[in-house]
Amino acid sequence: MAVPREPPSGAGTARDTTMTEQSYFTLLHLWIAAAILLFPVLLRVTVPYGRHASRTWGPVMGNRRGWFLMESVAVIAFSWFLLAGPGPRTAVTWVVAGAFLLHYLNRTVVFPLQMRPRRNLPVLVVLFGMGFNVVNGYLNGHWLGAMAPPRGPEWFGDWRFLTGAALFAGGMALNVASDRKLLRLRRAGNSHTIPRGGLFELVSSPNLLGEMVEWCGWALMGWSPAAASFALWTVVNLVPRALDHHRWYHRRFPDYPPERKAVIPWLL
Ligand SMILES: NC(=O)c1ccc[n+]([C@@H]2O[C@H](COP(=O)([O-])OP(=O)(O)OC[C@H]3O[C@@H](n4cnc5c(N)ncnc54)[C@H](OP(=O)(O)O)[C@@H]3O)[C@@H](O)[C@H]2O)c1
């Protein structure tokens, strides 16, 4: 999907630009390979945060501060590389970038503030999250700021944009509403309970389903290999986590509804 571009005046030769593009695509291919290799590992490892929190991964920090630190890196890296690129940046660029930043505004500020304070997050998880966000922020910010083919307003009528935007909005609404429901259950001072209502009747983790739908939608509306790699990474991270959550419910609640699936209604 390389898009040959003329270098901006005074910004180096065409050969430099080609070299940079080659390095970009090498990194992107390695990044996709890493996601594929990580998947079987994550199927075997329960990452100890959230409801699985423990101290088995070494030092811990406060969950609110940890989530803020980890996710603010996504906002900074993505915005930096988006703005550092030579463009062109069209209305399509800003809408696609705005959707990314809207998600991360929630994840960086709103979501941590809804959590119960004084819960722990392993420092190692925060460091892994920061590393992921630097690479993902670079790949997607640089694509939008430097490599994307210029798209005019006609893109807003393209089926890829329309379908992707609808999936993004629906996925984000499901993710935010389901996270809020779980965190409310907990903040009310209750112990863990079986969540009821809406998509919780069909799957254990509608929040994770929503996030996967959201980034698949974003990949469609932006139609780029970088966004597709982000969607892949999201699935690789969240399918194993949803299976962990599902097993956790079954261990904890003998009366857990047997027909409920882990993350994909009627299937998985
Ligand atoms: N894009 C990615 O790669 C990625 C990776 C991971 C997470 N995420 C997102 O981060 C968000 C959180 O995911 P998560 O897996 O960390 O969430 P989670 O563990 O399912 O839930 C978060 C918190 O909600 C409370 N909770 C969960 N289930 C509960 C229940 N049955 N009853 C009462 N309280 C309950 C727990 O609070 P307490 O800790 O106080 O018990 C838990 O720590 C999701 O939106 C997810 O999509 C994204």
Side-chain angles (χ1 to χ4, degrees):
M1 246 209 182
V3 182
R5 297 171 55 83
E6 287 302 315
S9 55
T13 63
R15 191 164 173 277
D16 290 340
T17 308
T18 311
M19 292 278 290
T20 312
E21 283 192 6
Q22 272 173 7
S23 314
Y24 177 91
F25 281 105
T26 303
L27 176 64
L28 182 63
H29 288 136
L30 288 172
W31 187 237
I32 291 168
I36 293 166
L37 291 175
L38 188 63
F39 187 61
V41 178
L42 286 179
L43 284 173
R44 286 174 179 75
V45 175
T46 300
V47 185
Y49 67 96
R51 72 182 73 192
H52 309 287
S54 75
R55 290 177 177 256
T56 50
W57 278 25
V60 294
M61 65 190 297
N63 59 351
R64 287 182 166 179
R65 201 165 351 139
W67 274 93
F68 176 79
L69 256 180
M70 179 163 78
E71 304 294 36
S72 55
V73 170
V75 177
I76 294 166
F78 177 79
S79 305
W80 176 274
F81 290 109
L82 168 69
L83 298 175
R89 286 178 280 269
T90 64
V92 171
T93 316
W94 297 122
V95 170
V96 174
F100 182 98
L101 291 171
L102 180 68
H103 169 92
Y104 277 103
L105 178 69
N106 173 62
R107 184 63 77 229
T108 306
V109 182
V110 182
F111 175 69
L113 287 176
Q114 292 170 338
M115 290 172 154
R116 280 194 317 144
R118 292 185 291 283
R119 294 278 288 160
N120 290 327
L121 189 58
V123 172
L124 205 52
V125 170
V126 176
L127 293 176
F128 283 150
M130 289 166 102
F132 170 82
N133 283 327
V134 168
V135 179
N136 188 53
Y138 164 70
L139 288 171
N140 282 287
H142 184 70
W143 177 270
L144 282 173
M147 300 178 75
R151 292 198 173 114
E154 66 283 354
W155 182 253
F156 292 128
D158 188 285
W159 71 268
R160 288 163 290 189
F161 179 85
L162 292 171
T163 314
L167 289 174
F168 180 85
M172 184 165 172
L174 176 62
N175 174 258
V176 170
S178 314
D179 273 344
R180 187 166 301 169
K181 185 162 194 163
L182 288 178
L183 292 169
R184 268 209 200 122
L185 279 177
R186 202 67 172 121
R187 271 194 319 187
N190 304 324
S191 54
H192 295 116
T193 49
I194 301 176
R196 306 270 180 198
L199 265 182
F200 278 107
E201 297 299 332
L202 294 181
V203 293
S204 295
S205 296
N207 52 342
L208 308 193
L209 170 64
E211 179 135 2
M212 289 191 282
V213 170
E214 195 182 336
W215 293 117
C216 290
W218 194 70
L220 254 185
M221 70 191 268
W223 199 251
S224 79
S229 78
F230 185 16
L232 173 70
W233 266 92
T234 305
V235 172
V236 161
N237 265 319
L238 295 188
V239 166
R241 189 150 177 87
L243 293 172
D244 276 336
H245 289 352
H246 194 60
R247 284 189 287 264
W248 177 91
Y249 278 119
H250 277 283
R251 274 198 310 273
R252 199 164 270 245
F253 303 103
D255 56 338
Y256 194 68
E259 70 286 355
R260 215 177 269 194
K261 296 289 182 185
V263 68
I264 301 177
W266 307 292
L267 282 179
L268 178 69

